[in-house]
Amino acid sequence: MNALSHPSASGTLSEQLDLKSLGHELYAIVQDLYPLCRSITGEGLRDTLRAVDRVAGVEIHEVPSGTRAFDWTVPKEWNIKAAYIADVQGRKIIDFKNSNLHVVGYSTPIRKRVARAELLQHVYTHPGNPDWIPYRNSYYKETWGFCVTQKQLAALTDAEYDVCIDSTLADGSLSYGETLLPGATQREVLISTHACHPSLCNDNLSGIAVAALLARQLRTVRTRYSYRFLFIPCTIGPIAWLSANQPATSRIDHGLVLACLGDAGGMTYLRSRRATAEIDRAVQHVLGHSGQAHEIRPFSPYGYDQRQYCSPGFNLAMGCLMRTPNGEYPEYHTSADNLDKVRPEFLADSFAKILATLCILEDNRHYVSAVQHGEPHLGRRGLYDKAQEFGLFWLLNYSDGQHSLLDIAEISGVAFNKLAAGVRMLQAVDLLDEATPSLAHVNTSER
Ligand code: ZN
């Protein structure tokens, strides 16, 4: 049984959700993906994408190692079977089986006896929290290493150890998952989330889970926009995708990069580089009307993949939506970003806010009031009592073909979804008409 509510009677995008069962379903995806050892390439990434495919239906693409993408080259593919640090009696002290964070991502293969001093040059800890394993990788510099707790490090007192990393670093490919859900027009909304972190829940499984169920939800309804979803390794993934799909980016009108959506913190939104794009205003509206603590920040070329989508040659209208941002919660990039860090209710709350944002994009249209001289007599039409709640006089006054519904929401302070309901009431009594459709390239194909 689909955890999401059924689409509205008209089959269009609806904000009505069963948040409780949705939260559990999102959390179940996080649990399912938690054990996999993901990286920017390799079987752990592919297994993750296959799991996303089972939920959301995505095509898995492969970009061969060595492919040039702007200033970058797709790296070799990394895979790992096992890794450990053992004492000379053969007792395993650190074992990759216990946590895939124990190995520095992209570690080159090694199997040898090393002196303690040499080993310690390849061992990393999180000094602030003696029980946490840090997350590290070395994608573009060939080396090997282990990440351990401070306590495990303190116990490494023998003169020599046997180290083994049974990994391969060889020509292969970079995988990513993509799906395009066609809408009434070919104009697109792009939802992108990174899919390359190993056992880390808030950064990164929360974004994967939310994006996967969003894709599944959007697949069941008719939309105005076409929706493209990317489940893709950080940095090199979007760079490779943008490089191969440069002409298609002209169809992207709005987008969101999703990450860190499952923790207890309030929502944080990083604006697009354009700062006041429709997506920026839509998110600001949803968060502003949520009655909950949130923060809206300017664009930053640090953090997640908005760095690529908002690079000046593309400058797409894409912001980054998170709860507590990367690097701003203590468990970030450590073993403590685990199944306790994310909760079903916060995953569901993030999902609901994104869906509300997409509803604004879908319904943000221009209308023309049938009565331009004096206000129409609402009492005669049985609507006077609803005027306040649904902003009917705001709608009638500002529906001059120049102001969008979001403009009117911002001017009036009335919530967008109330205004959208008000539009339907006024249309039902022939007081409001949609202005000339603002979207070109109408796609006649049916979903
Ligand atoms: Zn990260």
Side-chain angles (χ1 to χ4, degrees), residues 217-272:
Q217 166 80 343
L218 290 168
R219 204 176 271 291
T220 65
V221 294
R222 283 179 210 279
T223 55
R224 176 165 68 138
Y225 286 104
S226 296
Y227 286 82
R228 187 182 297 275
F229 284 80
L230 287 174
F231 299 83
I232 197 160
C234 285
T235 309
I236 183 66
I239 287 173
W241 187 86
L242 287 165
S243 167
N245 294 279
Q246 202 160 352
T249 60
S250 64
R251 290 200 291 270
I252 299 169
D253 284 346
H254 321 281
L256 285 173
V257 171
L258 301 181
C260 298
L261 292 171
D263 67 288
M267 302 295 299
T268 305
Y269 178 66
L270 300 190
R271 290 178 183 276
S272 73

Side-chain angles (χ1 to χ4, degrees), residues 12 37 43 59 63 121 168 182 184 188 196 271 302-303 309 320 328 377 398-399 406 415 427:
T12 56
C37 183
E43 279 307 315
E59 194 177 332
V63 186
Q121 286 174 11
T168 54
E188 288 182 20
C196 52
R271 290 178 183 276
Y302 290 91
Y309 300 118
C320 178
E328 298 183 24
H377 194 291
Y398 276 96
S399 288
L406 185 54
Q427 283 184 316

Side-chain angles (χ1 to χ4, degrees), residues 16 73 107 175 215 233 261 321 329 371 377 386 398 400 407-408 413:
Q16 300 303 311
T73 304
S107 278
S175 318
L261 292 171
L321 192 62
Y329 54 98
V371 179
H377 194 291
K386 298 198 160 67
Y398 276 96
D400 51 7
D407 291 333
I408 302 173

